[in-house]
Amino acid sequence: MSNDHEKELAARASLEFVRDGDVVGLGTGSTAAYAVRFLGERVRAGLKIRGIPTSVQTQNLAESLGIPLITLEEVQQIDVTIDGADEFDPELRLIKGAGGALLREKVVASATRNEIIIADSSKQVSVLGKSPLPVEVIQFAQALVSKKISALGATVRLKKDSVGDVYVTDEGNHILECNFGRIPDPIALARILGDMPGVVEHGLFINLASLVLMGKAGEVVEVRRRTNP
Ligand code: A5P
């Protein structure tokens, strides 16, 4: 079963959680893009929603599909958000941001009642840290923050775009891709990174996901948190 098919299955299943009249957070990445396309089909068939995109990329896709969009100026409460993840653990803690959109994704997730994560089965881990943790930094502080994160034991690389230029986020910042290996205590690491001046946001999403819909071997598995927050 290809990852793409698993992503598509999870994305299709997520539409069950969207109701007529909802304000819907629209995630970023290849899995979320499937969901946005399916939502576009539903909108053309008469579903009334208003979307809040988590990136310029998703905004462009949603606009091309005719999904009505609003901003956080207009509403501060989002009914449901459908987004992807790079990894999720049994407590539904996530690493997000490989697509470079972690900052807006986290802002949208923080304003969301029901954060639905859609993923293929390669994203499920017992301990976070298989993939690098993206950390968004202001350009001024990049070298300093990079040094501090290296001192925590991570290998740090500056994120580049597809043509090898330094990646610049939708908010004009840079991203450090920090490879920690296993992250046994994501809560402690989130606190340390959150307290570092110059860090705008990091890709550890803790107590934000309500449910993960994982495509696996032709089915969709609902993964819920092992314990309550
Ligand atoms: C975007 O910034 C990310 O948080 C994505 O949601 C995450 O990287 C998953 O992307 P894919 O769905 O493309 O695997």
Side-chain angles (χ1 to χ4, degrees), residues 7 28-32 83-86 96-102 105 120 123:
K7 288 176 184 188
T28 297
S30 57
T31 320
D83 204 348
D86 304 317
K96 279 184 60 52
L102 70 98
E105 288 172 341
D120 62 83
K123 309 292 181 60

Side-chain angles (χ1 to χ4, degrees), residues 23 52 70 72 74-80 111-114:
V23 174
I52 299 195
I70 53 171
L72 288 172
E74 290 150 271
V75 289
Q76 287 84 46
Q77 172 78 58
I78 299 168
D79 297 297
V80 57
T112 296
R113 208 166 30 80
N114 199 10

